[in-house]
Amino acid sequence: MHSITTRIPYKTLVRALFFAQSRNLCSASATTQKLERIADELLNLTKLERYDYSILFRLKLGLNKYGPAVSGLASADSASTGSGSAPADAKAAEKTAFDIKLEKFDAAAKIKIIKEVRTFTDLGLKEAKDLVEKAPVVLKKGVTKEEGNPIVEKLKELGATVVLE
């Protein structure tokens, strides 16, 4: 014998049960048209949209531990809201890690430059010599501006052309 639930579509059954329980728990005045519309829209979402919604809802509540949703729904929202704040993001994303690049050096100061390169890198004499001779080459990556400026100044004093990129 078939039960009544096999004849009623799933979404209709869920809606009926949800609103029957909500009317029993809450007063009739508290259940508004807006809440019913939101519930209907949530029930009409696909699985992917429900997943994206759950991620977005957690994000809005400050409970985000999985990162933003990956689907087109969330990325379209972030693209539309993010387009107006692009200049502000560029200022906020100021470069903090720099590379020290040796562009060229004076041949007479080659030995002094190799010795200086050895002081701020963990290279041996042969490795430092090979590195300096490959100019233009990046001597050190990911240094802060405060760390890089004294090194650049010292190498410039020795006769090298060095830039902080």
Side-chain angles (χ1 to χ4, degrees), residues 53-129:
Y53 174 75
S54 69
I55 300 280
L56 181 64
F57 192 68
R58 280 189 227 122
L59 180 68
K60 296 278 185 179
L61 289 176
L63 304 173
N64 183 27
K65 68 178 188 181
Y66 300 111
V70 186
S71 80
L73 180 66
S75 62
D77 290 342
S78 63
S80 65
T81 58
S83 62
S85 63
D89 291 341
K91 290 180 183 176
E94 188 175 320
K95 191 171 182 179
T96 57
F98 296 90
D99 297 338
I100 300 173
K101 183 177 181 182
L102 174 67
E103 292 185 340
K104 60 183 179 177
F105 60 91
D106 191 19
K110 180 178 174 181
I111 295 172
K112 293 177 187 174
I113 293 169
I114 291 170
K115 287 181 180 178
E116 185 62 30
V117 167
R118 287 189 64 205
T119 61
F120 65 86
T121 62
D122 293 330
L123 299 175
L125 182 61
K126 184 178 184 321
E127 292 85 8
K129 178 182 176 276

Side-chain angles (χ1 to χ4, degrees), residues 8-23:
I8 300 174
Y10 175 74
K11 288 182 180 181
T12 307
L13 181 63
V14 171
R15 281 187 194 131
L17 291 174
F18 175 77
F19 287 114
Q21 289 176 353
S22 67
R23 286 191 180 105

Side-chain angles (χ1 to χ4, degrees), residues 140-155:
K140 193 164 185 174
K141 293 182 179 183
V143 296
T144 62
K145 197 168 191 171
E146 292 80 23
E147 291 175 26
N149 280 335
I151 295 170
V152 168
E153 293 301 319
K154 180 69 175 171
L155 288 170

